[in-house]
Amino acid sequence: MAAAAGNVKGVQLSQAMVRTAAGWLLGLMLAAAGAIVCINLVSSSVASPQQPVREYLEALQKGEGEEALGLLRAKVPNANAAMLDGTALQTAASKISDVKLGNPEARGSNRMAVPLDYSLDGSRLHTEFLMERTGTQWLFFAKWAFVPTTLPTIEVTVVNSSEAALNGVPVNMPNGRNTFAVFYPGKYEASLNGTFFEAPPTSALVATRDSGQAPLNLQTRSTKAMNEAVAGKVREFLDTCAAQATEQQRLQPDCPFYHVSNARVVDGTIKWEITEYPKITIEPFGGKWVVAPLNGKARLTAREIDLFTGFGNDLNVEHDFSFTTQLDTSNGTVTVTPYLSF
């Protein structure tokens, strides 16, 4: 009986050991499966060639230029750096949407190309980032980084101005032009919004490092406020001139208009008035702003006596006139100086 009991205990002990071993084996299998899943997840995210691209795009949209430059491993060319950080950079990347990262494509033994399709301000564009393997992390995961490059540039020109705005940021424009280093992808918009002069916005979409960009040429023009200010100065000059000519009873005053007559004009009957004021056109010329020649009409009414017959006649004539001016906008004021030739 004792021997039988011993055999039973031995069988029970063996079954317990088997169950324990099976539990350990199952645990190891689950752990291994979890490790494989974890490895796959890490490999497809943190350790993938696409991850630096994700981080780069995020840095652009946050306006973190230093981080973006470090990730891109890019050299800054000899150009203005106003677009490489803060609001200007955020604005450049703010129109990027519907981003789709494609599967990496081999470009040699240690390089992969990461395709990026996206919309930029309504245009569907494609950019390819070249990545290279730079080592390993966590013992066996590949470490990827951008292949070093140089940032692209865009050139901006502006007529008759030493300043402009690029992506909403004021920038200096020595001699009316400047070159700016930029990140890609991004939209860059130049404009001029001055009190006296302005230029309609013009923009460029930069999709790749080698994007050949035509210059952003700002065609400056006078503002409505400027035209009204000059028109007001011209009207004031002509009205004052007509009033003085009337007060002084002069047929040939120091004005753009005059009248020549062989008759005797009755003193006290001369009256001048402007019937058509000049239209104002302000144009660039020789690096300055000039007002195009001003043309208008003035009416003279008077009573004249014919010297041969002695008969009187009511004079009512309209004369065309023309003159030029010098325009000065220094010190934030508008000065218009008429030039009269006799």
Side-chain angles (χ1 to χ4, degrees), residues 202-215:
T202 180
S203 62
L205 304 181
V206 181
T208 67
R209 161 65 188 90
D210 301 318
S211 296
Q213 297 297 330

Side-chain angles (χ1 to χ4, degrees), residues 197-337:
F197 301 102
E198 63 184 3
T202 180
S203 62
L205 304 181
V206 181
T208 67
R209 161 65 188 90
D210 301 318
S211 296
Q213 297 297 330
L216 297 181
N217 297 320
L218 290 173
Q219 301 301 319
T220 315
R221 63 192 181 192
S222 55
T223 63
K224 181 180 179 180
M226 177 65 169
N227 292 339
E228 290 177 349
V230 172
K233 300 283 186 182
V234 170
R235 290 176 68 95
E236 181 182 5
F237 163 70
L238 291 174
D239 288 343
T240 300
C241 216
Q244 290 178 346
T246 299
E247 181 182 355
Q248 297 169 2
Q249 291 293 287
R250 296 178 61 182
L251 294 179
Q252 299 179 10
D254 296 331
C255 297
F257 44 83
Y258 61 93
H259 177 74
V260 177
S261 176
N262 292 324
R264 180 175 65 85
V265 177
V266 178
D267 191 33
T269 65
I270 295 175
K271 181 180 179 181
W272 286 98
E273 64 175 332
I274 308 300
T275 55
E276 184 178 312
Y277 292 93
K279 294 181 180 179
I280 305 300
T281 302
I282 302 173
E283 303 170 335
F285 180 79
K288 297 180 179 180
W289 290 99
V290 297
V291 180
L294 300 169
N295 303 305
K297 297 180 184 295
R299 181 177 302 279
L300 169 66
T301 57
R303 180 72 178 172
E304 63 179 3
I305 305 298
D306 189 291
L307 296 178
F308 295 100
T309 64
F311 291 114
N313 178 55
D314 288 331
L315 181 66
N316 188 330
V317 293
E318 191 174 54
H319 289 289
D320 294 329
F321 64 83
S322 180
F323 67 105
T324 59
T325 61
Q326 178 179 326
L327 178 64
D328 184 9
T329 58
S330 59
N331 301 320
T333 59
V334 178
T335 303
V336 179
T337 305

Side-chain angles (χ1 to χ4, degrees), residues 23-95:
W24 277 102
L25 181 58
L26 178 60
L28 288 172
M29 291 175 65
L30 292 174
I36 292 172
V37 171
C38 181
I39 289 171
N40 287 334
L41 288 174
V42 173
S43 178
S44 63
S45 57
V46 177
S48 73
Q50 298 159 313
Q51 184 58 24
V53 178
R54 294 190 186 96
E55 294 175 359
Y56 171 69
L57 292 176
E58 185 178 352
L60 293 185
Q61 293 179 327
K62 289 182 177 179
E64 296 174 350
E66 185 176 353
E67 182 178 350
L69 191 65
L71 286 166
L72 194 60
R73 301 169 75 195
K75 178 182 177 182
V76 179
N78 184 21
N80 191 297
M83 296 296 103
L84 300 184
D85 198 32
T87 300
L89 178 55
Q90 274 186 304
T91 301
S94 64
K95 299 295 183 179

Side-chain angles (χ1 to χ4, degrees), residues 156-212:
V156 181
T157 68
V158 59
V159 175
N160 280 10
S161 180
S162 59
E163 60 183 24
L166 189 56
N167 279 11
V169 176
V171 292
N172 292 324
M173 301 290 292
N175 299 316
R177 66 176 57 243
N178 209 338
T179 301
F180 299 87
V182 297
F183 283 107
Y184 61 95
K187 177 184 177 180
Y188 297 90
E189 182 176 274
S191 61
L192 177 63
N193 298 299
T195 302
F196 298 143
F197 301 102
E198 63 184 3
T202 180
S203 62
L205 304 181
V206 181
T208 67
R209 161 65 188 90
D210 301 318
S211 296

Side-chain angles (χ1 to χ4, degrees), residues 70-123:
L71 286 166
L72 194 60
R73 301 169 75 195
K75 178 182 177 182
V76 179
N78 184 21
N80 191 297
M83 296 296 103
L84 300 184
D85 198 32
T87 300
L89 178 55
Q90 274 186 304
T91 301
S94 64
K95 299 295 183 179
I96 299 174
S97 62
D98 194 17
V99 176
K100 295 182 180 179
L101 276 172
N103 294 324
E105 302 170 2
R107 292 290 188 270
S109 58
N110 287 315
R111 289 190 173 183
M112 300 285 282
V114 176
L116 177 70
D117 293 290
Y118 54 97
S119 293
L120 181 54
D121 197 32
S123 297

